[in-house]
Amino acid sequence: MNKILQFSLLAISFSSLAQTAFNFSVSGTLKNVSDNAYTYIHHKWNNQDITDSAKVKSGNFTYTGKGTEPNMYWLTKRNNINEQPNLIFFVDGGKTTIKANVDSLPYAKVQGGQTQKDYMDYNAMMQGFGVKQQDMVTRYNEAKAKGDAGMMNAIQAEYQNMDKEVKASLENFIKKHPKSAVSGYAIYFNYQNANVPPEDLERIVGLLDKSILTTKYGKLAQEKLNQLRGTTIGYPAANFAQADPSGKLINLTDLKGKYVLVDFWASWCGPCRAENPNVVSAFNKYKGKGFTVLGVSFDQNKDKWLQAIDADKLVWTQVSDLKGWGNEAGKLYGISSIPQNLLLDKEGKIIAKNLRGPELDAKLEEIIK
């Protein structure tokens, strides 16, 4: 029962509005704020973090802005976009009013347009699942402490049923709000780490009205679908580009026409270094038969990366953005541990994952005649 809901309990909601420019205002009353202090209001647009401020006078503040479609904003006590706790709210034009204690922002009362009303309904639904989940965790831990395996299994089954209920509730929300931006955002946000077949997510994205597919949240939903397709066996691998040690940019698609093992590793990773001889052996055996390897390193130190390449005799193409666990290709493919790998056919389609030692050799022998 250590696992958490695959669907986030953070609720986000938007209503469906035409993409026309609008003005909006956010005014509020904040308790426990000194006079002439500031409150900070943040949002994201075009992949940029944007922060504004509003002076608080006698406990009151007013902020005005412009937009073209419903968007999420959040308010913090300090000038830190990542500060927690914060107050999330939504604007779609018109007036939004806030009544809050600055020391308990998530419990503020917010009134606004239809977007904000949607948020409150969606939030109530998801928080209900959160309460159920916490109850299950408590009961599971109690059963574990008593050594009651029967009860533990029963709670596990109960959790699985609730997980299905969460998925059904989310899909039902999308069906009822096909033109709502929240439906697009919910698809993107709630399926971040979901283990779902691309066909299922394609059906869910298909519930969205065409009118929101060109909006921020419609695009995010489609982005999630494309990412899932591109990391699933049977689908073309999602392309990425990173620099080799000389600085030359290498695209994954540059290697089409060969069987390619995309190998995620790092110089500091013991299991990766232990697996490298097996990859070297496979490369040497099949390199003349249309097979190659693309190493993607999770290193941050270029010198150590190059030293490991030389020491382990990794003579194939190597790339890295030197961001460590923040490697962009790793994030694209949801890589949370290494070593991991993907085997692609000559058209760039994923045909296998995480082949180790004899498994890699056996698969290559099967497909390379």
Side-chain angles (χ1 to χ4, degrees), residues 47 54-55 61 65 68 70 111 113 124 172 174 207 210 214 261 361:
N47 296 316
K55 182 175 284 189
F61 73 92
T68 57
Q111 291 184 323
N172 188 52
I174 296 168
L207 298 173
K210 292 182 179 179
T214 58
L261 184 75
D361 185 75

Side-chain angles (χ1 to χ4, degrees), residues 5 57 103 149 159 176 205 257 265 287 314 316 350 356:
L5 284 176
K57 296 182 178 180
D103 296 320
Y159 173 84
K176 291 182 177 179
V205 172
W265 74 292
K287 64 181 179 180
L314 311 182
W316 49 82
I350 301 173
R356 299 279 183 269

Side-chain angles (χ1 to χ4, degrees), residues 27-38:
S27 59
T29 301
L30 292 178
K31 294 182 178 180
N32 291 341
V33 178
S34 59
D35 203 25
N36 292 320
Y38 285 87

Side-chain angles (χ1 to χ4, degrees), residues 13-24 45 66-73 90-96 112-118 177-184 209-218:
S13 182
F14 299 88
S15 66
S16 138
L17 293 177
Q19 293 186 65
T20 56
F22 57 76
N23 297 318
F24 68 88
W45 192 254
K66 295 182 179 181
T68 57
E69 59 184 78
N71 201 7
M72 175 204 305
Y73 285 72
F90 305 90
V91 297
D92 52 18
K95 298 180 179 179
T96 298
Q114 185 60 48
T115 296
Q116 181 60 24
K117 294 176 183 176
D118 289 348
H177 304 82
K179 297 182 179 181
S180 173
V182 66
S183 295
D209 188 86
K210 292 182 179 179
S211 64
I212 75 163
L213 294 181
T214 58
T215 67
K216 172 181 176 179
Y217 298 107

Side-chain angles (χ1 to χ4, degrees), residues 171-212:
E171 186 169 343
N172 188 52
F173 182 89
I174 296 168
K175 286 180 180 178
K176 291 182 177 179
H177 304 82
K179 297 182 179 181
S180 173
V182 66
S183 295
Y185 189 94
I187 290 171
Y188 174 80
F189 189 84
N190 290 296
Y191 284 92
Q192 285 294 327
N193 299 304
N195 183 17
V196 58
E199 296 83 359
D200 288 356
L201 187 54
E202 185 172 5
R203 174 179 54 79
I204 293 171
V205 172
L207 298 173
L208 298 174
D209 188 86
K210 292 182 179 179
S211 64
I212 75 163

Side-chain angles (χ1 to χ4, degrees), residues 95-109:
K95 298 180 179 179
T96 298
T97 61
I98 297 172
K99 292 183 179 180
N101 186 316
V102 77
D103 296 320
S104 56
L105 289 175
Y107 303 99
K109 293 182 179 180

